[in-house]
Amino acid sequence: LLFVESICDDPVILDRNYKSKCKNGDYKNQDPQVAIADFKERVKNYEEVYEELLDDEDKGRISFIKIYNVGQKVVTRMCSGYIPSQVAFHLMNVHISPRKIWLSRHSEGTDQLKGLIGGNSGVMTPYGARYAIELQ
């Protein structure tokens, strides 16, 4: 059994989360400010009854992963084996913040001009060198 707990106290992240909630089905066609106020009230009610996972639960035999502020910090406790390790790896590499991801082919090398596929002579053609510079 592996517990996963997400803890967020970063006001910027929380504000972005609150605004995104205005777009879900619960708040469809509602005034955004009313929706945010309602969602914050829900959160407050959850916080009143929520119990954070502690190291000494189940006589210290509890396995968990805690994620703070959407990955700013990740804590694992008694996570051994393939599945817990893969879950932790996945959670540490999830990014919900807006960002750009650039995908590019490699620059042209002399091996391609010779028709060699999968090789890497380490020598770029003049076109490949220009392409690499343009990517910077």
Side-chain angles (χ1 to χ4, degrees):
L1 184 61
L2 175 67
F3 293 92
V4 177
E5 181 174 31
S6 179
I7 300 168
C8 186
D9 58 8
D10 182 315
V12 174
I13 296 171
L14 289 170
D15 186 56
R16 188 172 57 229
N17 188 357
Y18 296 150
K19 288 177 182 174
S20 75
K21 296 299 179 190
C22 293
K23 299 172 186 168
N24 75 18
D26 290 348
Y27 298 111
K28 190 175 183 180
N29 301 322
Q30 277 193 20
D31 175 82
Q33 296 306 316
V34 172
I36 289 172
D38 181 75
F39 188 75
K40 285 182 177 181
E41 186 63 28
R42 282 187 188 186
V43 170
K44 181 180 164 202
N45 291 333
Y46 293 140
E47 287 174 339
E48 289 175 5
V49 296
Y50 187 77
E51 295 180 25
E52 184 176 342
L53 291 168
L54 302 173
D55 289 352
D56 61 356
E57 291 192 47
D58 193 29
K59 298 178 184 169
R61 297 180 302 217
I62 188 167
S63 297
F64 61 74
I65 300 171
K66 289 187 181 187
I67 306 164
Y68 294 88
N69 294 318
V70 196
Q72 287 176 1
K73 178 172 123 178
V74 178
V75 174
T76 62
R77 182 172 198 297
M78 295 187 60
C79 293
S80 62
Y82 181 77
I83 298 293
S85 298
Q86 290 299 305
V87 171
F89 177 79
H90 175 73
L91 293 172
M92 287 189 288
N93 288 286
V94 170
H95 302 283
I96 66 165
S97 300
R99 62 194 174 111
K100 291 181 181 179
I101 299 175
W102 297 87
L103 302 176
S104 173
R105 288 189 52 139
H106 55 79
S107 60
E108 183 181 71
T110 56
D111 282 351
Q112 277 128 342
L113 292 182
K114 296 175 187 173
L116 300 173
I117 306 296
N120 182 7
S121 66
V123 180
M124 288 187 282
T125 66
Y127 173 77
R130 283 194 312 275
Y131 181 78
I133 291 168
E134 290 294 321
L135 283 176
Q136 294 179 343

